[in-house]
Amino acid sequence: STVASGPRSRPPSVAPPAPSAGSEEWHCVMHNWNPVSDDTAYAAVAYGQRARIIVTEAGWHYAEIASADGSTVKGWIPPYVLQQDTPAFENAGKWVEVRCDWKPPYANDSAFVSVLAGQKAQVKRLDGGWAYVEVRDTSGEPVGTGWVPPVIIGMEAPPPG
């Protein structure tokens, strides 16, 4: 994941919206983002956190962000930091069956992981047209982690970036 620079424009207001506004759906944060100012109207987010959109105004989301320790904060975030609901991300975080055998193009590159049809893979991250996965064999024993082409695990390739 990448760390982006601060916003190019401010959100339309800094006042929090009404508590009843928004969605109950939580999204996965796919990119780190830190505001460039100390303005507490913005919320810094990190890859893997969960965010619930409360309202969207002028291209910004006012969201509740949950951390791994269970704490939450609210603030404005740019929409690109969230996982989009597209088929490319449909299986992110779920255990899926590996569809076919695949070996990395470079045997000595530990960034990739070899997989066999029938193994289980859990998508941890999507980036640059690749899926970073944790792989387990058919008995559930860990095999390793690394990058694979998304099509190997039944996913469309996400857009690079």
Side-chain angles (χ1 to χ4, degrees):
S1 58
T2 60
V3 176
S5 61
R8 296 189 197 290
S9 63
R10 296 183 61 79
S13 67
V14 293
S20 61
S23 164
E24 291 303 311
E25 183 176 2
W26 288 84
H27 301 269
C28 182
V29 173
M30 298 300 288
H31 301 279
N32 296 336
W33 183 77
N34 291 303
V36 287
S37 74
D38 292 332
D39 189 337
T40 59
Y42 299 99
V45 292
Y47 174 82
Q49 287 182 310
R50 308 294 287 167
R52 182 179 66 86
I53 299 168
I54 296 171
V55 69
T56 300
E57 291 182 29
W60 285 79
H61 293 316
Y62 187 82
E64 177 179 14
I65 295 96
S67 295
D69 66 4
S71 64
T72 61
V73 296
K74 292 180 182 174
W76 292 102
I77 59 174
Y80 77 87
V81 302
L82 299 181
Q83 170 180 321
Q84 299 300 308
D85 296 323
T86 65
F89 299 104
E90 181 175 276
N91 293 325
K94 298 178 186 173
W95 287 96
V96 295
E97 187 168 313
V98 175
R99 291 186 170 184
C100 59
D101 296 358
W102 184 81
K103 290 187 180 200
Y106 307 104
N108 295 333
D109 192 339
S110 62
F112 298 95
V113 64
S114 295
V115 294
L116 300 172
Q119 290 178 326
K120 298 291 184 191
Q122 183 183 42
V123 178
K124 302 291 189 178
R125 180 176 168 196
L126 300 169
D127 194 6
W130 291 86
Y132 189 80
V133 297
E134 176 183 340
V135 181
R136 295 185 180 246
D137 66 20
T138 53
S139 67
E141 292 298 313
V143 171
T145 57
W147 296 99
V148 298
V151 70
I152 300 299
I153 54 173
M155 298 177 71
E156 297 293 324

